[in-house]
């Protein structure tokens, strides 16, 4: 089998350019962690979202009132639980199927999870 077949990042990028590419991808992932948290802060105060997920209500003045903070926190933290599980098994999966395939699998899994969360119609589906 040819050593160069398939998608080989290390064959195209070397030394400093490979290091910069790795750091850019890492910075992008950290950016998305912060972006996700910032977005959920705004979403958690939206009237429709509060009614849909059933963890509170909006009073007559338009202020959100949370009646089940455990449910609200569970909905937000399920994303981070998924990333924790990915960190714990990522190295093992990488050893079994290779780094590039593991990254592709992780990206596909993240897209699948995002689709499920975006289409959730209640808190059971969301969690």
């Amino acid at each position: 089998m040819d050593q160069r077949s398939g998608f080989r990042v290390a064959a195209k990028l070397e030394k400093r350019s490979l290091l910069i590419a790795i750091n850019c991808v890492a910075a992008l992932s950290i950016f998305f962690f912060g972006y996700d948290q910032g977005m959920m802060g705004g979403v958690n105060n939206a009237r429709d979202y509060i009614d849909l997920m059933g963890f509170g209500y909006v009073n007559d003045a338009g202020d959100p009132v949370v009646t089940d903070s455990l449910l609200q926190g569970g909905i937000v933290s399920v994303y981070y639980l998924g990333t924790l599980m990915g960190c714990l098994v990522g190295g093992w999966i990488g050893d079994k199927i290779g780094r590039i395939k593991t990254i592709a699998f992780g990206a596909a899994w993240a897209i699948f999870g995002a689709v499920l969360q975006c289409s959730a119609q209640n808190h059971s589906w969301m969690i």
Side-chain angles (χ1 to χ4, degrees):
M1 183 175 195
D2 182 20
Q3 187 74 10
R4 298 264 184 190
S5 64
F7 184 71
R8 308 273 302 172
V9 174
K12 295 183 181 8
L13 300 174
E14 293 180 355
K15 297 182 182 178
R16 184 163 174 77
S17 58
L18 180 60
L19 180 65
I20 290 172
I22 290 170
N23 284 328
C24 286
V25 170
L28 187 64
S29 67
I30 292 168
F31 168 77
F32 279 123
F33 262 65
Y35 180 76
D36 176 67
Q37 191 64 35
M39 288 302 294
M40 283 307 295
V43 169
N44 276 331
N45 289 327
R47 175 187 303 269
D48 292 334
Y49 184 75
I50 292 170
D51 292 339
L52 187 67
M53 293 300 149
F55 58 78
Y57 63 94
V58 178
N59 64 16
D60 295 333
D63 299 324
V65 177
V66 176
T67 57
D68 191 350
S69 59
L70 182 62
L71 178 60
Q72 181 187 27
I75 290 171
V76 173
S77 65
V78 75
Y79 174 77
Y80 296 104
L81 180 63
T83 58
L84 174 65
M85 296 306 293
C87 289
L88 294 176
V89 299
W92 179 79
I93 293 173
D95 288 342
K96 296 293 181 191
I97 65 173
R99 292 175 297 183
I100 300 298
K101 289 179 183 175
T102 302
I103 292 170
F105 174 74
W109 188 257
I111 291 169
F112 176 70
V115 167
L116 287 177
Q117 282 190 329
C118 289
S119 63
Q121 296 298 310
N122 57 41
H123 63 271
S124 298
W125 188 349
M126 180 68 120
I127 294 177

